[in-house]
């Protein structure tokens, strides 16, 4: 299994600003998923991007994928205090193990 | 409502006393898995199951057992718990395993175990 490496480890922004989170991985993938975890709660699936897609949108979320650089980014536009959470990227290849990294801690200040 | 249900949500127990954390999903999912989450270490997979009677080790299986006798249930068993198993545990499920197409994982709300 492979693990996504999120960057930065922590991010603090003002409400209304955009938040950009990055993810890198090492081997080829079928798809890449992003999850959110509010403090002490279960993870919630946000968005999935397939390896043949370059960009995907869902509400205020925009995900990009660059397979040549083995990297992805998650952009949250017009952030809100409720976006405060940890965010995880999960690159998925041809095996049955999902590996989560340490995530990015996003703090959105009111 | 589609959900993954874990019980108990919180448990404080003592070393060596066998315990079981239950996990049940109502979405007819084939793939189920258990994770533990520890500060600074992220989520680590303990065991996973591709379908009924098919289970396999994840990255940190030592000290744990699982069973998958029915599709909806995937209990996590600690035969002789030790303090280093104090952690936050999550059960997750998806329609199929990660290698069969694009499958978002559905997570339970977690079980916080404290082993004294």
């Amino acid at each position: 299994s492979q693990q996504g490496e999120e960057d930065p480890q922590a991010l603090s922004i003002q409400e209304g600003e955009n938040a950009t989170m990055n993810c890198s991985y090492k081997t080829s993938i079928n798809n890449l998923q992003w999850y959110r975890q509010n403090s002490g709660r279960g993870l919630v699936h946000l968005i999935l991007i397939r390896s043949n897609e370059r960009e995907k949108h869902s509400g205020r979320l925009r995900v990009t994928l660059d397979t040549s650089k083995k990297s992805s980014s998650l952009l949250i536009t017009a952030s809100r205090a409720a976006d405060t959470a940890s965010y995880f990227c999960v690159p998925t290849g041809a095996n049955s193990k999902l590996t989560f990294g340490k995530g990015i801690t996003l703090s959105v200040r009111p | 409502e589609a959900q993954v249900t874990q019980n108990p949500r919180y448990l404080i127990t003592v070393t060596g006393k066998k315990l079981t954390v239950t996990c049940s999903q109502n979405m007819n999912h084939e793939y189920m898995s258990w994770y533990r989450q520890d500060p600074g270490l992220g989520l680590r997979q303990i065991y996973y199951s591709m379908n009924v009677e098919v289970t396999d080790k994840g990255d940190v299986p030592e000290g744990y057992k699982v069973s998958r006798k029915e599709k909806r249930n995937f209990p996590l068993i600690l035969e002789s718990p030790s303090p280093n198993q104090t952690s936050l545990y999550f059960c997750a499920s998806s329609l199929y395993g990660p290698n069969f197409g694009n499958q978002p994982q559905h997570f339970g709300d977690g079980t916080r175990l404290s082993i004294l």
Side-chain angles (χ1 to χ4, degrees):
Chain A
S1 62
Q2 69 167 315
Q3 177 176 309
E5 293 186 15
E6 297 98 348
D7 175 70
Q9 290 187 343
L11 182 60
S12 181
I13 59 174
Q14 200 74 34
E15 204 166 26
E17 294 180 338
N18 295 342
T20 300
M21 292 168 272
N22 303 301
C23 171
S24 60
Y25 57 92
K26 291 188 167 58
T27 60
S28 63
I29 59 172
N30 293 335
N31 64 68
L32 186 142
Q33 304 177 37
W34 284 90
Y35 289 80
R36 182 189 74 228
Q37 183 183 29
N38 291 93
S39 181
R41 302 298 301 275
L43 281 75
V44 174
H45 180 260
L46 292 177
I47 197 165
L48 181 152
I49 186 165
R50 296 183 178 87
S51 59
N52 61 354
E53 297 176 315
R54 291 295 165 260
E55 188 170 312
K56 201 162 181 179
H57 296 255
S58 176
R60 293 184 295 113
L61 305 180
R62 173 177 164 250
V63 169
T64 62
L65 179 65
D66 187 335
T67 53
S68 67
K69 294 181 180 176
K70 294 187 172 57
S71 66
S72 173
S73 67
L74 171 66
L75 169 69
I76 303 176
T77 59
S79 63
R80 306 167 182 167
D83 295 325
T84 293
S86 294
Y87 292 82
F88 298 84
C89 77
V90 186
T92 305
N95 60 56
S96 298
K97 293 184 185 179
L98 283 177
T99 303
F100 291 77
K102 297 176 185 177
I104 297 170
T105 301
L106 173 64
S107 298
V108 181
R109 303 186 301 275
Chain B
E1 181 190 350
Q3 58 187 359
V4 177
T5 304
Q6 293 179 229
N7 279 297
R9 292 291 314 280
Y10 304 91
L11 179 63
I12 301 174
T13 187
V14 296
T15 298
K17 186 176 180 184
K18 181 179 177 181
L19 67 91
T20 299
V21 185
T22 63
C23 174
S24 180
Q25 49 89 8
N26 61 358
M27 296 168 279
N28 202 35
H29 284 174
E30 290 190 356
Y31 184 86
M32 298 185 74
S33 58
W34 277 102
Y35 295 86
R36 61 177 289 174
Q37 185 175 30
D38 303 288
L41 296 177
L43 275 87
R44 294 178 291 169
Q45 192 179 55
I46 303 170
Y47 268 95
Y48 64 94
S49 170
M50 295 292 287
N51 212 327
V52 175
E53 301 291 1
V54 182
T55 63
D56 209 345
K57 295 177 181 178
D59 295 313
V60 288
E62 294 77 21
Y64 304 95
K65 282 175 57 177
V66 292
S67 68
R68 188 91 182 272
K69 296 191 173 88
E70 307 163 281
K71 202 170 190 179
R72 64 184 296 128
N73 296 322
F74 190 45
L76 180 69
I77 303 154
L78 284 73
E79 293 269 5
S80 183
S82 63
N84 64 11
Q85 293 177 299
T86 291
S87 186
L88 179 58
Y89 291 84
F90 290 101
C91 179
S93 75
S94 61
L95 187 56
Y96 302 115
N99 53 326
F100 288 105
N102 309 309
Q103 303 295 330
Q105 297 293 304
H106 299 256
F107 281 80
D109 281 336
T111 295
R112 191 168 290 279
L113 281 184
S114 293
I115 318 273
L116 305 177

